[in-house]
Amino acid sequence: MTSRDGFQWTPETGLSQGVPSIGVISPSTNICSSSAKYDVIVVGAGYAGLTAARDLTLTGLHVLLIEARDRIGGRSWSSNIGEYPFEMGGTWVHWSQPHVWREISRYNMRTELEKSIDFSGGVNHFQLRTAQGSSIMSHEDEEALLSGAICKFVNVDGDMGRKVIPFPHDAFDLSEARRYDEISVQDRIDAIGLSLTPNERASLESFILLCSCATLETTSFFEFLHWWALCGYSYRGCVEALISYKFRGGQSTFAIKFFKEALATGRLSYLFTTPVSSINDPGDNVTVTTRDGRQYTGARLISTIPLNVLKSVSFDPPLDTQHTEAANTGHVNQCVRVHAEVSSKDMRSWTGISYPSNKLVYAIGDGTTPAGNAHIVCFGGSNNEIHPEEDINETKNAVESMAPGNMDVQRLVFHNWSKDDFAKGAWFFSSPGLLSSSLDAMRARHGNVLFANSDWAVGWRAFIDGAIEEGTRAAMTVKEELQPAPALPSYL
């Protein structure tokens, strides 16, 4: 099946919108009438919504899953083109992510993981292109350069951030952590600038922009510290947890397991290609109205709508002031991510930074296609103001400029998350002050409406693991309210 989402380009076919994905659901609905009342309505079929829908149907509750897209996965989905999976959003997973690893084990997919980074052959080098010129170094030198720069950046407490964030799944336990949320990455770099060499500064800024895909001024220093803590307070831990392992068949092979398990219960109703316009909670139940005017009612509703989209949905009664302000502020990640299939198979072992003049900043060799070509994934951010489909030649040039003379582009594949009405950005990354002022408000319920999304997870926020964490939390709350545990016998 082909989704309406995504773009691909080849020299032969030119640019086309819509790419194939096993995450597309057909038929788009399995219900005939909107008159039924459901136990729970789940809005959104990303990992948070899929987890909640699955857990609740398994407990015996009747669930209606409403999704604006024609597919599952939300901001994490894959497209199989030429028998090769191109990850359009969230990609990498790791056993240090507890919720993800539990589900990988549940679905017996441990052997479905493969290494993303492979330096065993080919060019086997790192290329750094900055205002000072271009240099090529070994991956060992790359690690030393980045590790040294990042350690200077995060070492605010003499212990690489461990004292500031000793327990990353309860990050605001210490008031000092909140203090670091009030400052930007630019503020921190300015404070340590004299200790950085030009190459250290360029590589540090590029790595941070890879994480936030925003600007240095609009990126929260604390949120980077939080990622660092989750990855074990080391650069090698970051590489291992963030970009090293992915599913051999693509993310959609994982997400479809959740959907199929829920569907097999016989208690899952679903509607795809159905955006929601309003949510009304008079107190005894919740009614959701779709953009085409249909209405559906449930005892509870779980909204997994991303933060940047939340203000496009009307709530009655309105959300509280703090939640509304957070939705109006939104998060800052406007990632540009472009997959390139290049004819040089030796580029499989290449990584590179091209900063600050290029519209794409960071890239890694991520696989080998069945045609024997190298797969390169490139990242840029909102400061570069590139929309790949608007000028495909500009996009191709940005890819080629990552490694001039070595990028013979045969195919480009991408999803423009910034112009996606149901995402309005990529994975969550916060601006200074957003989390310390609004994290609790984003997580709080609103009457019979609960909110579950990786954007406000306390652990692996912005990651697939955080989405599963949130879906699990919301589902358990609803289960306890709609299916209270039986009273224990008096003799116990």
Side-chain angles (χ1 to χ4, degrees):
M1 299 293 293
T2 298
S3 174
R4 296 172 302 178
D5 288 344
F7 294 85
Q8 68 166 315
W9 171 91
T10 68
E12 297 78 21
T13 63
L15 181 67
S16 60
Q17 183 172 1
V19 293
S21 175
I22 66 169
V24 176
I25 303 302
S26 181
S28 61
T29 184
N30 66 348
I31 65 176
C32 301
S33 170
S34 61
S35 60
K37 181 176 180 180
Y38 300 91
D39 295 313
V40 191
I41 298 173
V42 177
V43 179
Y47 276 105
L50 291 174
T51 301
R54 181 203 62 191
D55 289 359
L56 290 167
T57 55
L58 288 174
T59 68
L61 294 172
H62 290 270
V63 175
L64 172 62
L65 179 65
I66 303 179
E67 168 58 50
R69 308 179 190 277
D70 55 15
R71 58 172 181 80
I72 59 173
R75 289 173 288 182
S76 298
W77 69 291
S78 55
S79 173
N80 287 71
I81 300 172
E83 300 183 357
Y84 183 84
F86 291 91
E87 297 288 3
M88 311 302 283
T91 302
W92 295 280
V93 295
H94 194 263
W95 44 88
S96 64
Q97 298 162 350
H99 300 282
V100 158
W101 196 250
R102 179 182 183 275
E103 300 298 344
I104 289 174
S105 298
R106 177 194 186 101
Y107 293 123
N108 198 26
M109 294 184 71
R110 292 183 298 274
T111 60
E112 295 300 311
L113 298 182
E114 67 177 11
K115 283 282 289 183
S116 179
I117 295 175
D118 182 1
F119 299 152
S120 60
V123 298
N124 193 22
H125 66 239
F126 167 66
Q127 188 166 356
L128 178 63
R129 301 180 69 244
T130 70
Q132 283 71 44
S134 179
S135 59
I136 291 176
M137 62 187 75
S138 69
H139 290 300
E140 290 78 14
D141 289 338
E142 172 191 11
E143 180 175 343
L145 174 66
L146 278 156
S147 179
I150 296 172
C151 284
K152 292 177 183 178
F153 180 69
V154 301
N155 194 21
V156 293
D157 55 5
D159 200 15
M160 296 300 167
R162 289 177 177 86
K163 295 175 183 175
V164 174
I165 308 179
F167 184 48
H169 290 261
D170 189 13
F172 285 140
D173 184 50
L174 299 178
S175 59
E176 190 174 10
R178 293 182 179 269
R179 179 167 67 87
Y180 286 118
D181 187 48
E182 298 297 329
I183 69 173
S184 72
V185 160
Q186 186 65 66
D187 294 331
R188 175 60 181 168
I189 290 177
D190 289 344
I192 64 167
L194 293 178
S195 71
L196 298 170
T197 68
N199 279 355
E200 282 182 326
R201 181 158 186 161
S203 61
L204 171 63
E205 292 183 1
S206 299
F207 188 85
I208 293 166
L209 294 176
L210 170 65
C211 296
S212 74
C213 290
T215 67
L216 301 175
E217 294 83 3
T218 58
T219 297
S220 163
F221 176 47
F222 167 80
E223 188 68 333
F224 185 88
L225 282 177
H226 185 227
W227 281 36
W228 174 258
L230 288 165
C231 293
Y233 310 93
S234 75
Y235 169 72
R236 180 166 291 187
C238 287
V239 173
E240 183 83 7
L242 301 182
I243 56 172
S244 287
Y245 295 93
K246 61 180 182 176
F247 290 106
R248 185 175 295 108
Q251 270 293 335
S252 293
T253 64
F254 187 40
I256 200 69
K257 300 281 189 181
F258 294 70
F259 182 76
K260 287 183 175 179
E261 186 175 6
L263 195 61
T265 66
R267 290 182 286 272
L268 178 68
S269 300
Y270 64 81
L271 279 166
F272 285 79
T273 320
T274 307
V276 165
S277 63
S278 65
I279 295 171
N280 179 31
D281 177 14
D284 54 344
N285 53 47
V286 185
T287 298
V288 59
T289 303
T290 64
R291 289 186 186 176
D292 59 10
R294 287 175 287 173
Q295 292 188 326
Y296 302 90
T297 300
R300 298 289 187 277
L301 184 141
I302 297 175
S303 167
T304 71
I305 300 167
L307 180 65
N308 284 5
V309 183
L310 200 58
K311 64 182 179 182
S312 68
V313 176
S314 172
F315 286 85
D316 184 16
L319 300 179
D320 66 68
T321 300
Q322 204 168 9
H323 205 154
T324 300
E325 288 179 355
N328 289 335
T329 300
H331 71 80
V332 295
N333 187 327
Q334 298 296 319
C335 178
V336 175
R337 174 178 178 166
V338 178
H339 297 278
E341 183 178 355
V342 302
S343 60
S344 174
K345 65 179 181 181
D346 289 342
M347 292 295 284
R348 170 70 176 93
S349 58
W350 170 90
T351 61
I353 288 173
S354 184
Y355 175 79
S357 59
N358 197 26
K359 290 184 178 295
L360 295 172
V361 172
Y362 211 113
I364 61 171
D366 194 36
T368 302
T369 69
N373 297 326
H375 165 218
I376 308 294
V377 57
C378 310
F379 297 85
S382 61
N383 57 323
N384 289 311
E385 297 179 351
I386 178 175
H387 294 285
E389 74 280 11
E390 292 183 356
D391 188 336
I392 200 66
N393 288 325
E394 178 186 57
T395 303
K396 182 171 175 285
N397 289 338
V399 171
E400 293 170 342
S401 295
M402 294 298 303
N406 293 302
M407 292 285 199
D408 179 22
V409 178
Q410 302 298 304
R411 186 190 308 273
L412 297 174
V413 184
F414 53 87
H415 182 137
N416 189 338
W417 293 106
S418 293
K419 291 202 168 184
D420 183 325
D421 283 343
F422 309 120
K424 299 187 185 299
W427 63 88
F428 176 92
F429 215 96
S430 58
S431 57
L434 175 63
L435 291 170
S436 53
S437 66
S438 303
L439 181 60
D440 290 342
M442 289 188 282
R443 294 172 55 79
R445 68 186 299 160
H446 183 63
N448 291 312
V449 178
L450 293 90
F451 296 93
N453 191 284
S454 66
D455 289 0
W456 45 84
V458 293
W460 285 88
R461 189 166 41 251
F463 292 83
I464 296 163
D465 190 86
I468 298 172
E469 170 199 321
E470 280 291 291
T472 301
R473 174 178 74 99
M476 179 57 71
T477 300
V478 170
K479 175 184 178 298
E480 290 174 344
E481 293 176 358
L482 300 186
Q483 290 184 330
L488 293 173
S490 58
Y491 55 81
L492 291 180

